[in-house]
Amino acid sequence: MSDPDAHILIVDDDERIRGLLQKFLMRHGFLVSAARDAAHARRLLTGLEFDMIVLDVMMPGEDGISLTGAIRETSSTPIMLLTARGETEDRIKGLEAGADDYLAKPFEPKELLLRINAILRRMPEAPSETTVPKLIGLGPIRYDIERGEMWKGEDLVRLTATESQLMRIFSARPGEALSRTQLVEELGRDKGQAQERAVDVQITRLRRKIESDPKQPRYLQTVRGAGYMLAPD
């Protein structure tokens, strides 16, 4: 079920956890690198390309949330945060910084595997050369549905895996209000208020990339009592 070509970076200061996760994911067909802290991860990220990063929040020195924000300045590589159970604030901060998902410790390695595969499946596939562009206009923003790409003028707007999936969901049904529960289900997440709150955070991040005034959204609207709706030009 795993992508045999996918390269995963594990970042955790616990040597035992690093080793266990590295062996487990390698047994399931991934190429895996490991870093002991944020500084080590930064060095690896300078020289290597990764398909996904699994990142512990609580580490000595620079924490995982800070590193997530730094990575998002230059990269849209999917990021899965490992958080302490019950630390809701860390999860929200992590999502706001640009993480795609989170998993509370302790966790079953099989659940991590399922989450990784779900996120990698959401990444846009490379388009064929014969693809005919299908574009949605959002003011100065244009979104290429087939390619899963967002552009502002000549500049490519970086989208995380989750933001990209949300755009695919909304662009398939423009003008239709989608509830938070629907969005959670289509993202392949577990049901519950925590995941619905996570969707709210991702919508806020997406609006910052689409709207000229994210606090008064024109294109990614909130429909009272119904959910969120994409309203293209």
Side-chain angles (χ1 to χ4, degrees):
M1 294 294 291
S2 302
D3 182 346
D5 297 321
H7 190 180
I8 310 292
L9 175 61
I10 303 290
V11 188
D12 198 305
D13 63 301
D14 188 316
E15 183 177 359
R16 185 184 65 86
I17 291 177
R18 282 201 314 274
L20 287 173
L21 292 181
Q22 189 167 21
K23 290 177 182 178
F24 176 78
L25 292 174
M26 288 176 68
R27 285 202 306 270
H28 286 83
F30 292 105
L31 176 63
V32 184
S33 296
R36 61 185 172 271
D37 56 23
H40 188 192
R42 283 176 179 273
R43 291 195 295 273
L44 292 176
L45 289 164
T46 298
L48 295 170
E49 290 285 335
F50 294 95
D51 297 288
M52 187 166 174
I53 302 167
V54 178
L55 176 58
D56 188 28
V57 169
M58 297 299 295
M59 295 186 294
E62 183 180 11
D63 65 24
I65 293 172
S66 173
L67 180 58
T68 295
I71 292 170
R72 278 292 168 261
E73 291 178 4
T74 58
S75 171
S76 58
T77 301
I79 298 173
M80 164 76 74
L81 290 180
L82 303 180
T83 69
R85 186 172 297 279
E87 293 298 325
T88 303
E89 193 62 29
D90 280 346
R91 298 171 195 173
I92 297 302
K93 287 180 179 178
L95 292 170
E96 289 175 338
D100 294 277
D101 202 356
Y102 61 82
L103 190 58
K105 291 182 174 181
F107 56 84
E108 290 292 332
K110 186 175 181 180
E111 182 177 2
L112 176 64
L113 178 65
L114 291 172
R115 297 281 192 97
I116 288 173
N117 281 325
I119 288 175
L120 291 177
R121 283 196 299 270
R122 298 203 298 265
M123 291 301 290
E125 296 181 3
S128 65
E129 293 182 1
T130 58
T131 295
V132 178
K134 295 183 179 179
L135 301 177
I136 283 182
L138 306 165
I141 300 290
R142 67 184 191 278
Y143 178 70
D144 186 323
I145 298 173
E146 296 291 338
R147 295 174 179 266
E149 294 177 347
M150 184 178 288
W151 294 83
K152 186 173 185 179
E154 298 301 314
D155 297 324
L156 180 66
V157 179
R158 293 183 180 275
L159 297 176
T160 67
T162 303
E163 290 165 354
S164 181
Q165 180 66 355
L166 283 171
M167 281 302 303
R168 286 184 181 276
I169 293 168
F170 282 121
S171 61
R173 284 173 281 183
E176 179 181 340
L178 302 174
S179 70
R180 291 189 299 173
T181 301
Q182 284 178 279
L183 293 172
V184 168
E185 289 177 354
E186 296 209 29
L187 288 170
R189 306 285 179 83
D190 297 330
K191 296 180 181 179
Q193 288 187 345
Q195 289 294 352
E196 290 184 8
R197 170 65 177 130
V199 165
D200 291 338
V201 175
Q202 300 289 359
I203 292 290
T204 298
R205 285 184 52 82
L206 192 52
R207 279 175 170 161
R208 291 176 190 153
K209 299 180 179 182
I210 294 174
E211 306 285 355
S212 58
D213 183 358
K215 293 183 179 179
Q216 296 185 10
R218 156 67 180 85
Y219 299 106
L220 187 47
Q221 299 177 4
T222 299
V223 181
R224 187 180 298 276
Y228 298 106
M229 178 181 74
L230 188 68
D233 293 325

